[in-house]
Amino acid sequence: MEFENPVTLLEIYEKHKEKFPYPVTAASVGNVLCELNYMVKEDTRVRFIDMTEDTGMKIYVRSLTLLFIKACHDVLSDCRVHIEHSLGDALYTEVYWKSPIGQDEVEMIEKRMKEMVEKNLPIRRLSVPIEEALLYFKKQGCEDKVRVLKYLKKDHIHLYELDGFKDFFYGYMVPYTGFLKWFKLKFYLPGIVLQFPSIEKPVEVAPFKEQPKLSRIFREAEKWAHILEIADAGALNDYISKGMAGEIIRIAEALHEKKIAQIADMIAENKERLRVILIAGPSSSGKTTFAQRLMVQLRVNGLKPISISLDNYFVDRDKTPLGEDGKPDFEALEAIDIKLFNHHLAALIQGKEVYLPKYNFIKGTREFPSIPTKIEKDQPIVIEGIHGLNEKLTALIPKENKFKIYVSALTQISIDNHNRISTTDTRLIRRIVRDSRCRGADAKKTIAMWPSVQRGAQRHIFAFQEEADVMFNSALIYELAVLKRYAEPLLREITKDDPEYNVASYLIKFLDYFLPIEDEKDIPLTSILREFIGNSCFLVE
Protein backbone atom coordinates (compact mmCIF):
# COMPACT_ATOMS: atom_id res chain seq x y z
CA MET A 1 0.00 0.00 0.00
CA GLU A 2 1.14 3.55 -0.66
CA PHE A 3 0.20 6.71 1.26
CA GLU A 4 1.24 10.30 0.59
CA ASN A 5 1.17 11.28 4.29
CA PRO A 6 1.78 9.56 7.64
CA VAL A 7 -1.09 7.24 8.50
CA THR A 8 -2.20 5.38 11.62
CA LEU A 9 -2.52 1.62 11.69
CA LEU A 10 -6.17 2.10 12.55
CA GLU A 11 -6.76 4.12 9.38
CA ILE A 12 -5.13 1.39 7.30
CA TYR A 13 -7.21 -1.26 9.03
CA GLU A 14 -10.49 0.63 8.65
CA LYS A 15 -9.83 1.23 4.96
CA HIS A 16 -9.36 -2.50 4.30
CA LYS A 17 -11.50 -3.95 7.09
CA GLU A 18 -13.44 -6.27 4.79
CA LYS A 19 -10.24 -8.13 3.92
CA PHE A 20 -9.73 -9.30 7.50
CA PRO A 21 -11.67 -12.45 8.51
CA TYR A 22 -11.37 -11.72 12.25
CA PRO A 23 -11.21 -8.58 14.44
CA VAL A 24 -7.77 -6.98 14.60
CA THR A 25 -6.43 -5.68 17.93
CA ALA A 26 -2.84 -4.60 17.10
CA ALA A 27 -0.14 -4.82 14.46
CA SER A 28 3.50 -5.69 14.11
CA VAL A 29 5.42 -2.85 12.45
CA GLY A 30 8.87 -3.85 11.28
CA ASN A 31 8.56 -6.79 13.70
CA VAL A 32 7.71 -4.57 16.69
CA LEU A 33 4.28 -4.82 18.34
CA CYS A 34 2.35 -1.54 18.12
CA GLU A 35 -1.08 -0.32 19.13
CA LEU A 36 -3.49 0.61 16.36
CA ASN A 37 -3.07 4.32 17.16
CA TYR A 38 0.59 4.08 16.08
CA MET A 39 1.49 6.47 13.26
CA VAL A 40 3.37 4.94 10.31
CA LYS A 41 5.74 7.61 8.96
CA GLU A 42 8.12 5.66 6.72
CA ASP A 43 8.32 2.59 4.52
CA THR A 44 7.95 -0.55 6.57
CA ARG A 45 6.33 -3.97 6.72
CA VAL A 46 3.05 -4.17 8.65
CA ARG A 47 1.39 -7.39 9.83
CA PHE A 48 -1.97 -7.02 11.52
CA ILE A 49 -2.66 -9.20 14.55
CA ASP A 50 -6.16 -10.52 15.17
CA MET A 51 -7.92 -12.43 17.94
CA THR A 52 -6.91 -15.84 16.62
CA GLU A 53 -3.39 -15.18 17.94
CA ASP A 54 -2.42 -15.32 21.59
CA THR A 55 -1.03 -11.77 21.52
CA GLY A 56 -4.18 -10.43 19.86
CA MET A 57 -6.47 -12.17 22.36
CA LYS A 58 -4.42 -10.93 25.33
CA ILE A 59 -4.88 -7.35 24.11
CA TYR A 60 -8.63 -7.92 23.75
CA VAL A 61 -8.99 -9.41 27.24
CA ARG A 62 -6.82 -6.69 28.81
CA SER A 63 -8.95 -3.98 27.17
CA LEU A 64 -12.14 -5.78 28.21
CA THR A 65 -10.81 -5.86 31.79
CA LEU A 66 -10.41 -2.06 31.75
CA LEU A 67 -13.97 -1.72 30.44
CA PHE A 68 -15.25 -4.01 33.22
CA ILE A 69 -13.39 -2.14 35.98
CA LYS A 70 -14.62 1.24 34.68
CA ALA A 71 -18.23 -0.06 34.57
CA CYS A 72 -17.93 -1.38 38.14
CA HIS A 73 -16.80 2.06 39.34
CA ASP A 74 -19.62 3.77 37.44
CA VAL A 75 -22.30 1.49 38.90
CA LEU A 76 -20.82 0.90 42.38
CA SER A 77 -19.07 4.06 43.55
CA ASP A 78 -15.96 3.55 45.70
CA CYS A 79 -15.85 -0.19 44.97
CA ARG A 80 -12.63 -2.22 44.77
CA VAL A 81 -12.19 -4.67 41.89
CA HIS A 82 -9.82 -7.64 42.05
CA ILE A 83 -9.04 -9.63 38.91
CA GLU A 84 -8.34 -12.98 40.53
CA HIS A 85 -7.58 -15.71 37.95
CA SER A 86 -8.62 -17.34 34.69
CA LEU A 87 -11.25 -20.05 34.36
CA GLY A 88 -10.96 -21.33 30.81
CA ASP A 89 -12.07 -18.54 28.45
CA ALA A 90 -13.15 -16.34 31.33
CA LEU A 91 -11.79 -14.35 34.27
CA TYR A 92 -12.97 -14.80 37.82
CA THR A 93 -13.20 -11.45 39.59
CA GLU A 94 -14.35 -10.16 42.96
CA VAL A 95 -15.88 -6.74 43.61
CA TYR A 96 -15.76 -5.29 47.13
CA TRP A 97 -18.42 -2.68 47.89
CA LYS A 98 -20.23 -1.25 50.90
CA SER A 99 -22.58 -4.24 50.75
CA PRO A 100 -22.38 -7.68 49.07
CA ILE A 101 -23.16 -7.61 45.35
CA GLY A 102 -25.76 -9.85 43.71
CA GLN A 103 -27.43 -10.57 40.38
CA ASP A 104 -28.96 -7.07 40.12
CA GLU A 105 -25.57 -5.37 40.43
CA VAL A 106 -24.02 -7.74 37.88
CA GLU A 107 -26.75 -6.94 35.36
CA MET A 108 -26.23 -3.20 35.88
CA ILE A 109 -22.47 -3.55 35.34
CA GLU A 110 -23.01 -5.52 32.13
CA LYS A 111 -25.52 -2.93 30.90
CA ARG A 112 -23.02 -0.13 31.54
CA MET A 113 -20.31 -2.04 29.65
CA LYS A 114 -22.62 -2.41 26.65
CA GLU A 115 -23.44 1.30 26.75
CA MET A 116 -19.74 2.19 26.56
CA VAL A 117 -19.19 -0.24 23.69
CA GLU A 118 -22.10 1.31 21.81
CA LYS A 119 -20.64 4.82 22.32
CA ASN A 120 -17.27 3.65 20.94
CA LEU A 121 -15.34 5.66 23.52
CA PRO A 122 -11.60 6.21 23.03
CA ILE A 123 -9.08 4.35 25.20
CA ARG A 124 -6.18 6.77 25.53
CA ARG A 125 -2.61 5.90 26.41
CA LEU A 126 -0.96 8.51 28.61
CA SER A 127 2.75 8.94 29.40
CA VAL A 128 2.99 10.05 33.02
CA PRO A 129 6.02 10.78 35.25
CA ILE A 130 6.25 7.92 37.70
CA GLU A 131 6.19 10.26 40.70
CA GLU A 132 2.92 11.73 39.41
CA ALA A 133 1.48 8.24 38.93
CA LEU A 134 2.50 7.21 42.47
CA LEU A 135 0.84 10.32 43.90
CA TYR A 136 -2.33 9.70 41.85
CA PHE A 137 -2.71 6.07 42.96
CA LYS A 138 -1.90 6.95 46.56
CA LYS A 139 -4.77 9.46 46.55
CA GLN A 140 -7.01 6.78 45.03
CA GLY A 141 -6.12 4.37 47.84
CA CYS A 142 -4.54 1.90 45.40
CA GLU A 143 -1.71 0.75 47.66
CA ASP A 144 -1.19 -2.37 45.52
CA LYS A 145 -0.16 -0.17 42.56
CA VAL A 146 2.00 2.08 44.74
CA ARG A 147 3.83 -0.99 46.09
CA VAL A 148 4.83 -2.31 42.69
CA LEU A 149 5.41 0.95 40.79
CA LYS A 150 7.84 2.35 43.34
CA TYR A 151 10.35 -0.36 42.37
CA LEU A 152 10.29 0.42 38.62
CA LYS A 153 13.49 2.04 37.40
CA LYS A 154 11.73 4.34 34.95
CA ASP A 155 11.10 8.08 34.69
CA HIS A 156 7.70 7.65 33.05
CA ILE A 157 5.05 4.94 32.86
CA HIS A 158 1.98 4.53 30.70
CA LEU A 159 -1.55 4.79 32.08
CA TYR A 160 -4.78 4.16 30.17
CA GLU A 161 -7.74 6.52 30.35
CA LEU A 162 -11.34 5.56 29.59
CA ASP A 163 -14.06 8.18 29.99
CA GLY A 164 -12.11 10.02 32.71
CA PHE A 165 -11.06 6.85 34.56
CA LYS A 166 -7.29 6.22 34.66
CA ASP A 167 -5.61 2.91 35.44
CA PHE A 168 -2.28 1.14 35.04
CA PHE A 169 -1.91 -1.99 32.91
CA TYR A 170 1.18 -3.70 31.54
CA GLY A 171 0.63 -4.48 27.88
CA TYR A 172 -1.26 -2.78 25.06
CA MET A 173 -4.95 -1.95 24.52
CA VAL A 174 -7.39 -1.54 21.62
CA PRO A 175 -8.05 2.13 20.67
CA TYR A 176 -11.83 2.22 21.17
CA THR A 177 -14.47 0.45 23.26
CA GLY A 178 -16.31 -0.42 20.03
CA PHE A 179 -13.74 -3.20 19.52
CA LEU A 180 -15.05 -4.98 22.65
CA LYS A 181 -18.32 -6.42 21.40
CA TRP A 182 -18.08 -9.98 22.67
CA PHE A 183 -18.47 -10.55 26.42
CA LYS A 184 -20.88 -11.72 29.11
CA LEU A 185 -21.01 -11.36 32.87
CA LYS A 186 -22.08 -14.18 35.16
CA PHE A 187 -22.76 -13.87 38.88
CA TYR A 188 -20.60 -16.60 40.40
CA LEU A 189 -20.84 -16.37 44.18
CA PRO A 190 -19.03 -14.55 45.72
CA GLY A 191 -17.67 -12.93 42.54
CA ILE A 192 -18.30 -12.24 38.87
CA VAL A 193 -17.11 -14.23 35.88
CA LEU A 194 -16.14 -12.13 32.86
CA GLN A 195 -16.60 -14.30 29.77
CA PHE A 196 -14.95 -13.62 26.41
CA PRO A 197 -14.30 -15.43 23.09
CA SER A 198 -11.82 -18.24 22.53
CA ILE A 199 -8.97 -18.08 20.04
CA GLU A 200 -10.74 -20.79 18.03
CA LYS A 201 -14.02 -18.80 17.82
CA PRO A 202 -13.04 -15.14 18.25
CA VAL A 203 -16.40 -13.55 17.41
CA GLU A 204 -18.63 -15.37 19.88
CA VAL A 205 -18.51 -15.61 23.66
CA ALA A 206 -17.18 -18.99 24.77
CA PRO A 207 -19.61 -20.95 26.98
CA PHE A 208 -18.71 -20.99 30.66
CA LYS A 209 -17.68 -24.40 31.96
CA GLU A 210 -17.81 -25.20 35.63
CA GLN A 211 -14.35 -26.14 36.92
CA PRO A 212 -14.87 -26.77 40.65
CA LYS A 213 -11.54 -28.54 41.22
CA LEU A 214 -9.55 -25.84 39.46
CA SER A 215 -11.45 -23.15 41.38
CA ARG A 216 -10.62 -24.94 44.61
CA ILE A 217 -6.89 -25.03 43.85
CA PHE A 218 -6.93 -21.30 43.02
CA ARG A 219 -8.59 -20.61 46.38
CA GLU A 220 -5.86 -22.68 48.01
CA ALA A 221 -3.25 -20.56 46.20
CA GLU A 222 -4.89 -17.42 47.58
CA LYS A 223 -4.79 -18.96 51.06
CA TRP A 224 -1.07 -19.68 50.68
CA ALA A 225 -0.46 -16.10 49.52
CA HIS A 226 -2.31 -14.93 52.64
CA ILE A 227 -0.13 -17.16 54.85
CA LEU A 228 2.96 -15.60 53.27
CA GLU A 229 1.40 -12.11 53.35
CA ILE A 230 2.30 -11.69 49.67
CA ALA A 231 -0.62 -10.92 47.39
CA ASP A 232 1.25 -9.06 44.66
CA ALA A 233 4.65 -8.33 43.14
CA GLY A 234 5.11 -5.20 45.24
CA ALA A 235 4.69 -7.14 48.49
CA LEU A 236 7.24 -9.73 47.29
CA ASN A 237 9.66 -6.94 46.37
CA ASP A 238 9.24 -5.46 49.87
CA TYR A 239 10.42 -8.74 51.42
CA ILE A 240 13.33 -9.07 48.99
CA SER A 241 14.47 -5.48 49.57
CA LYS A 242 14.48 -6.13 53.34
CA GLY A 243 16.71 -9.20 52.90
CA MET A 244 13.89 -11.59 53.86
CA ALA A 245 13.85 -13.69 50.66
CA GLY A 246 15.18 -16.74 52.51
CA GLU A 247 12.22 -16.76 54.88
CA ILE A 248 9.74 -16.63 51.98
CA ILE A 249 11.55 -19.44 50.15
CA ARG A 250 11.52 -21.70 53.21
CA ILE A 251 7.80 -21.18 53.92
CA ALA A 252 6.82 -21.63 50.25
CA GLU A 253 8.83 -24.85 49.98
CA ALA A 254 7.36 -26.13 53.26
CA LEU A 255 3.83 -25.55 51.90
CA HIS A 256 4.74 -27.62 48.83
CA GLU A 257 6.14 -30.43 50.95
CA LYS A 258 3.08 -30.44 53.21
CA LYS A 259 0.74 -30.71 50.21
CA ILE A 260 2.77 -33.54 48.63
CA ALA A 261 2.77 -35.38 51.96
CA GLN A 262 -1.02 -34.99 52.18
CA ILE A 263 -1.43 -36.48 48.71
CA ALA A 264 0.83 -39.39 49.65
CA ASP A 265 -1.24 -39.94 52.80
CA MET A 266 -4.43 -40.10 50.70
CA ILE A 267 -2.86 -42.78 48.50
CA ALA A 268 -1.51 -44.75 51.47
CA GLU A 269 -4.91 -44.77 53.18
CA ASN A 270 -6.31 -46.52 50.11
CA LYS A 271 -3.28 -48.65 49.27
CA GLU A 272 -5.34 -51.85 49.03
CA ARG A 273 -7.16 -50.61 45.94
CA LEU A 274 -4.90 -47.88 44.45
CA ARG A 275 -2.33 -49.57 42.26
CA VAL A 276 -1.72 -46.95 39.54
CA ILE A 277 -0.82 -43.29 40.23
CA LEU A 278 -1.17 -41.16 37.09
CA ILE A 279 0.47 -37.72 36.96
CA ALA A 280 -0.29 -35.27 34.15
CA GLY A 281 0.13 -31.56 33.51
CA PRO A 282 1.16 -29.05 30.85
CA SER A 283 4.72 -28.38 29.76
CA SER A 284 7.04 -26.95 32.44
CA SER A 285 4.64 -27.62 35.28
CA GLY A 286 7.29 -29.53 37.23
CA LYS A 287 5.77 -33.01 36.85
CA THR A 288 9.12 -34.82 36.98
CA THR A 289 10.21 -33.36 40.31
CA PHE A 290 6.70 -33.69 41.74
CA ALA A 291 6.65 -37.39 40.84
CA GLN A 292 10.01 -37.97 42.55
CA ARG A 293 8.98 -36.11 45.69
CA LEU A 294 5.69 -38.01 45.80
CA MET A 295 7.58 -41.30 45.61
CA VAL A 296 9.72 -40.24 48.58
CA GLN A 297 6.61 -39.45 50.60
CA LEU A 298 5.02 -42.77 49.60
CA ARG A 299 8.10 -44.53 50.96
CA VAL A 300 7.67 -42.60 54.20
CA ASN A 301 4.24 -44.24 54.35
CA GLY A 302 5.79 -47.68 54.00
CA LEU A 303 5.05 -48.14 50.29
CA LYS A 304 7.58 -49.11 47.62
CA PRO A 305 6.51 -47.34 44.43
CA ILE A 306 8.02 -47.99 41.03
CA SER A 307 7.89 -45.54 38.14
CA ILE A 308 7.08 -46.14 34.48
CA SER A 309 7.68 -43.54 31.79
CA LEU A 310 4.90 -43.24 29.24
CA ASP A 311 7.52 -42.11 26.71
CA ASN A 312 8.81 -45.69 26.56
CA TYR A 313 5.51 -46.76 25.00
CA PHE A 314 5.75 -44.58 21.91
CA VAL A 315 4.88 -46.50 18.74
CA ASP A 316 7.70 -46.98 16.24
CA ARG A 317 8.44 -43.64 14.65
CA ASP A 318 7.22 -44.67 11.20
CA LYS A 319 3.81 -45.43 12.75
CA THR A 320 3.45 -42.06 14.51
CA PRO A 321 0.17 -40.36 13.47
CA LEU A 322 0.35 -37.15 11.47
CA GLY A 323 -1.09 -33.85 12.63
CA GLU A 324 -3.05 -31.28 10.65
CA ASP A 325 0.23 -29.83 9.37
CA GLY A 326 1.28 -33.20 7.96
CA LYS A 327 4.06 -33.58 10.52
CA PRO A 328 4.34 -36.37 13.11
CA ASP A 329 2.11 -35.61 16.11
CA PHE A 330 4.01 -37.06 19.07
CA GLU A 331 1.46 -35.61 21.51
CA ALA A 332 -1.50 -37.49 20.04
CA LEU A 333 -2.88 -40.35 22.14
CA GLU A 334 -2.39 -42.61 19.11
CA ALA A 335 1.37 -42.01 19.35
CA ILE A 336 1.30 -44.32 22.39
CA ASP A 337 0.96 -48.11 22.12
CA ILE A 338 -2.07 -48.13 24.41
CA LYS A 339 -2.75 -51.84 24.01
CA LEU A 340 0.75 -52.89 25.12
CA PHE A 341 0.77 -50.29 27.91
CA ASN A 342 -2.51 -51.58 29.39
CA HIS A 343 -1.40 -55.19 28.99
CA HIS A 344 1.77 -54.51 30.98
CA LEU A 345 -0.09 -52.59 33.71
CA ALA A 346 -2.65 -55.35 34.15
CA ALA A 347 0.08 -58.00 34.28
CA LEU A 348 2.11 -56.10 36.87
CA ILE A 349 -0.95 -55.55 39.07
CA GLN A 350 -1.63 -59.29 38.94
CA GLY A 351 1.90 -60.00 40.15
CA LYS A 352 3.26 -61.27 36.83
CA GLU A 353 6.71 -60.63 35.39
CA VAL A 354 6.83 -58.01 32.61
CA TYR A 355 9.61 -56.95 30.26
CA LEU A 356 9.17 -53.17 30.35
CA PRO A 357 10.29 -51.43 27.14
CA LYS A 358 12.86 -48.66 26.78
CA TYR A 359 12.32 -46.36 23.83
CA ASN A 360 15.37 -45.69 21.69
CA PHE A 361 14.82 -42.11 20.52
CA ILE A 362 17.76 -42.31 18.13
CA LYS A 363 16.42 -45.35 16.27
CA GLY A 364 12.75 -44.50 16.86
CA THR A 365 11.88 -47.99 18.11
CA ARG A 366 11.26 -49.78 21.41
CA GLU A 367 13.87 -52.07 22.96
CA PHE A 368 13.23 -54.69 25.63
CA PRO A 369 15.59 -55.64 28.50
CA SER A 370 16.67 -59.16 29.37
CA ILE A 371 15.59 -58.79 33.01
CA PRO A 372 11.86 -58.67 33.76
CA THR A 373 10.09 -56.44 36.31
CA LYS A 374 7.78 -57.80 38.98
CA ILE A 375 6.09 -55.96 41.82
CA GLU A 376 4.54 -56.89 45.14
CA LYS A 377 1.00 -56.15 46.18
CA ASP A 378 1.94 -53.01 48.14
CA GLN A 379 3.91 -51.42 45.29
CA PRO A 380 1.99 -48.65 43.50
CA ILE A 381 2.98 -47.81 39.93
CA VAL A 382 3.69 -44.10 39.38
CA ILE A 383 3.19 -42.99 35.77
CA GLU A 384 3.99 -39.50 34.53
CA GLY A 385 2.75 -38.53 31.08
CA ILE A 386 0.76 -36.04 29.06
CA HIS A 387 -2.28 -38.33 28.72
CA GLY A 388 -2.48 -39.44 32.34
CA LEU A 389 -5.93 -37.91 32.94
CA ASN A 390 -7.46 -39.30 29.74
CA GLU A 391 -9.46 -42.38 30.66
CA LYS A 392 -8.74 -43.88 27.23
CA LEU A 393 -5.07 -44.32 28.19
CA THR A 394 -5.85 -46.79 30.97
CA ALA A 395 -9.29 -48.00 29.88
CA LEU A 396 -8.54 -51.61 30.86
CA ILE A 397 -7.65 -50.69 34.44
CA PRO A 398 -10.71 -50.26 36.73
CA LYS A 399 -11.22 -46.67 37.92
CA GLU A 400 -11.13 -47.77 41.54
CA ASN A 401 -7.53 -48.90 41.09
CA LYS A 402 -6.33 -45.52 39.75
CA PHE A 403 -5.45 -42.21 41.34
CA LYS A 404 -5.08 -39.21 39.00
CA ILE A 405 -3.07 -36.09 39.83
CA TYR A 406 -3.07 -32.87 37.81
CA VAL A 407 0.04 -30.69 38.20
CA SER A 408 0.24 -27.10 36.98
CA ALA A 409 1.94 -23.83 37.92
CA LEU A 410 -1.11 -21.78 38.90
CA THR A 411 0.49 -18.45 39.75
CA GLN A 412 -0.31 -17.33 43.30
CA ILE A 413 0.43 -13.62 43.05
CA SER A 414 -0.50 -10.78 40.69
CA ILE A 415 1.26 -7.61 39.57
CA ASP A 416 -1.52 -5.68 41.31
CA ASN A 417 -5.28 -6.06 41.83
CA HIS A 418 -6.02 -5.37 38.14
CA ASN A 419 -3.06 -7.14 36.51
CA ARG A 420 -3.09 -10.88 36.98
CA ILE A 421 -0.08 -13.01 36.08
CA SER A 422 -0.77 -15.55 33.36
CA THR A 423 0.05 -19.14 34.27
CA THR A 424 1.08 -19.60 30.64
CA ASP A 425 3.66 -16.80 30.90
CA THR A 426 5.17 -18.36 34.04
CA ARG A 427 5.47 -21.77 32.37
CA LEU A 428 7.01 -20.25 29.24
CA ILE A 429 9.69 -18.49 31.32
CA ARG A 430 10.39 -21.76 33.15
CA ARG A 431 10.77 -23.57 29.84
CA ILE A 432 13.02 -20.92 28.28
CA VAL A 433 15.40 -21.28 31.23
CA ARG A 434 15.33 -25.09 31.23
CA ASP A 435 15.61 -25.50 27.44
CA SER A 436 18.67 -23.28 27.34
CA ARG A 437 20.37 -25.17 30.15
CA CYS A 438 19.37 -28.76 29.35
CA ARG A 439 18.41 -28.96 25.69
CA GLY A 440 20.70 -26.51 23.94
CA ALA A 441 17.71 -24.52 22.68
CA ASP A 442 17.83 -20.74 22.70
CA ALA A 443 14.89 -18.58 23.78
CA LYS A 444 13.99 -17.90 20.15
CA LYS A 445 13.45 -21.58 19.44
CA THR A 446 11.45 -22.15 22.62
CA ILE A 447 9.17 -19.19 21.92
CA ALA A 448 8.70 -20.29 18.29
CA MET A 449 7.46 -23.74 19.30
CA TRP A 450 5.36 -22.55 22.26
CA PRO A 451 2.08 -22.05 20.30
CA SER A 452 2.21 -25.68 19.17
CA VAL A 453 2.96 -26.79 22.77
CA GLN A 454 -0.07 -24.84 23.93
CA ARG A 455 -2.32 -26.36 21.27
CA GLY A 456 -1.24 -29.81 22.41
CA ALA A 457 -1.98 -28.93 26.03
CA GLN A 458 -5.41 -27.61 25.06
CA ARG A 459 -6.30 -30.86 23.30
CA HIS A 460 -4.68 -33.42 25.55
CA ILE A 461 -4.42 -31.92 29.04
CA PHE A 462 -6.70 -28.98 29.82
CA ALA A 463 -9.72 -30.83 28.43
CA PHE A 464 -9.28 -33.54 31.09
CA GLN A 465 -8.00 -31.57 34.11
CA GLU A 466 -11.30 -31.89 36.01
CA GLU A 467 -10.92 -35.71 35.79
CA ALA A 468 -8.14 -35.52 38.37
CA ASP A 469 -8.69 -36.88 41.88
CA VAL A 470 -6.44 -34.13 43.22
CA MET A 471 -4.65 -31.07 41.84
CA PHE A 472 -1.22 -29.84 42.85
CA ASN A 473 -0.16 -26.24 42.29
CA SER A 474 3.55 -26.32 41.46
CA ALA A 475 3.94 -22.52 41.38
CA LEU A 476 6.25 -20.98 43.96
CA ILE A 477 5.43 -17.46 45.10
CA TYR A 478 9.08 -16.39 44.83
CA GLU A 479 10.06 -18.11 41.58
CA LEU A 480 9.81 -15.19 39.12
CA ALA A 481 12.30 -13.25 41.25
CA VAL A 482 14.74 -16.16 40.78
CA LEU A 483 13.95 -16.94 37.14
CA LYS A 484 14.39 -13.26 36.24
CA ARG A 485 18.21 -13.30 36.22
CA TYR A 486 18.28 -16.51 34.15
CA ALA A 487 15.61 -15.52 31.63
CA GLU A 488 16.45 -11.88 30.92
CA PRO A 489 19.87 -12.48 29.25
CA LEU A 490 18.33 -15.22 27.08
CA LEU A 491 15.42 -12.99 26.04
CA ARG A 492 17.72 -10.06 25.23
CA GLU A 493 19.53 -12.21 22.65
CA ILE A 494 16.41 -11.97 20.49
CA THR A 495 16.61 -8.96 18.15
CA LYS A 496 14.02 -6.86 16.33
CA ASP A 497 14.78 -8.87 13.20
CA ASP A 498 13.41 -12.05 14.83
CA PRO A 499 9.70 -12.98 14.63
CA GLU A 500 9.88 -13.89 18.33
CA TYR A 501 10.87 -10.34 19.33
CA ASN A 502 7.37 -9.26 20.42
CA VAL A 503 7.00 -12.10 22.91
CA ALA A 504 10.55 -11.63 24.20
CA SER A 505 9.99 -7.88 24.66
CA TYR A 506 6.70 -8.53 26.48
CA LEU A 507 8.35 -11.01 28.89
CA ILE A 508 11.28 -8.65 29.60
CA LYS A 509 8.85 -5.85 30.50
CA PHE A 510 6.86 -8.27 32.64
CA LEU A 511 9.97 -9.33 34.59
CA ASP A 512 10.78 -5.66 35.25
CA TYR A 513 8.16 -5.71 38.01
CA PHE A 514 10.21 -8.15 40.11
CA LEU A 515 13.35 -7.52 42.13
CA PRO A 516 15.83 -10.37 41.58
CA ILE A 517 16.75 -12.92 44.23
CA GLU A 518 20.48 -13.38 43.68
CA ASP A 519 21.29 -15.77 46.53
CA GLU A 520 19.93 -19.27 45.87
CA LYS A 521 21.33 -20.98 48.96
CA ASP A 522 17.88 -21.26 50.54
CA ILE A 523 16.34 -23.05 47.53
CA PRO A 524 16.44 -26.76 48.45
CA LEU A 525 17.84 -29.29 45.98
CA THR A 526 14.43 -31.01 46.07
CA SER A 527 12.61 -27.84 44.93
CA ILE A 528 10.50 -27.96 41.78
CA LEU A 529 12.30 -24.76 40.74
CA ARG A 530 15.58 -26.74 40.62
CA GLU A 531 14.15 -28.69 37.68
CA PHE A 532 14.52 -25.46 35.70
CA ILE A 533 17.48 -23.56 37.18
CA GLY A 534 19.62 -26.62 37.88
CA ASN A 535 21.21 -28.61 40.73
CA SER A 536 18.15 -30.79 41.35
CA CYS A 537 18.96 -33.87 43.40
CA PHE A 538 16.44 -35.84 41.34
CA LEU A 539 17.81 -35.17 37.85
CA VAL A 540 21.05 -36.28 36.23
CA GLU A 541 22.46 -33.29 34.34
Side-chain angles (χ1 to χ4, degrees), residues 133-168:
L134 286 169
L135 183 62
Y136 172 77
F137 287 121
K138 195 167 186 178
K139 286 181 178 178
Q140 298 295 318
C142 301
E143 291 300 324
D144 55 314
K145 295 186 187 295
V146 173
R147 269 196 304 271
V148 70
L149 294 178
K150 71 182 181 183
Y151 287 104
L152 286 183
K153 296 177 180 178
K154 296 180 180 179
D155 295 328
H156 288 70
I157 63 167
H158 290 108
L159 303 183
Y160 284 92
E161 183 181 44
L162 170 57
D163 195 26
F165 176 79
K166 287 185 283 190
D167 204 350
F168 161 74

Side-chain angles (χ1 to χ4, degrees), residues 89-102:
D89 297 305
L91 291 177
Y92 174 71
T93 73
E94 292 187 357
V95 180
Y96 301 92
W97 195 41
K98 59 186 178 182
S99 58
I101 65 165

Side-chain angles (χ1 to χ4, degrees), residues 15 77 88 124 131 134 145 165 184 195 199 202 206 224 289 291 308 341-342 369 393 407 431 456 458-459 472 509 519:
K15 187 174 181 180
S77 59
R124 296 187 177 93
E131 292 301 326
L134 286 169
K145 295 186 187 295
F165 176 79
K184 285 182 183 178
Q195 296 172 247
I199 284 177
W224 286 9
T289 301
I308 294 179
F341 177 69
N342 277 273
L393 176 70
V407 180
R431 180 149 178 172
Q458 197 69 42
R459 287 195 305 266
F472 176 77
K509 290 175 183 176
D519 191 348

Side-chain angles (χ1 to χ4, degrees), residues 221-275:
E222 291 165 14
K223 180 181 176 183
W224 286 9
H226 179 72
I227 290 171
L228 290 161
E229 298 182 336
I230 298 174
D232 50 53
L236 177 61
N237 290 340
D238 284 345
Y239 274 93
I240 295 171
S241 66
K242 293 174 184 175
M244 298 173 65
E247 180 181 339
I248 296 303
I249 291 170
R250 288 188 290 274
I251 297 172
E253 293 291 346
L255 285 168
H256 262 194
E257 196 60 38
K258 182 177 181 180
K259 182 67 176 181
I260 295 171
Q262 288 172 345
I263 294 171
D265 291 345
M266 292 170 64
I267 296 168
E269 287 170 6
N270 297 278
K271 63 182 179 181
E272 296 300 324
R273 65 176 181 85
L274 294 179
R275 305 307 310 279

Side-chain angles (χ1 to χ4, degrees), residues 1 3 6-18 20 23-29 34-40 46-49 120-123 173-179:
M1 301 178 189
F3 297 89
V7 61
T8 66
L9 294 169
L10 182 59
E11 289 172 320
I12 299 172
Y13 171 57
E14 292 289 352
K15 187 174 181 180
H16 301 276
K17 200 171 183 178
E18 71 284 352
F20 296 93
V24 164
T25 58
S28 181
V29 180
C34 295
E35 292 183 310
L36 292 176
N37 283 327
Y38 177 82
M39 184 76 71
V40 180
V46 174
R47 185 180 75 83
F48 284 95
I49 296 170
N120 196 29
L121 300 172
I123 298 175
M173 297 269 188
V174 297
Y176 290 93
T177 55
F179 281 70

Side-chain angles (χ1 to χ4, degrees), residues 68-93:
F68 170 71
I69 295 168
K70 163 63 175 167
C72 288
H73 281 272
D74 286 353
V75 173
L76 311 171
S77 59
D78 298 322
C79 70
R80 288 278 178 259
V81 181
H82 288 206
I83 308 299
E84 297 289 349
H85 53 76
S86 64
L87 281 177
D89 297 305
L91 291 177
Y92 174 71
T93 73

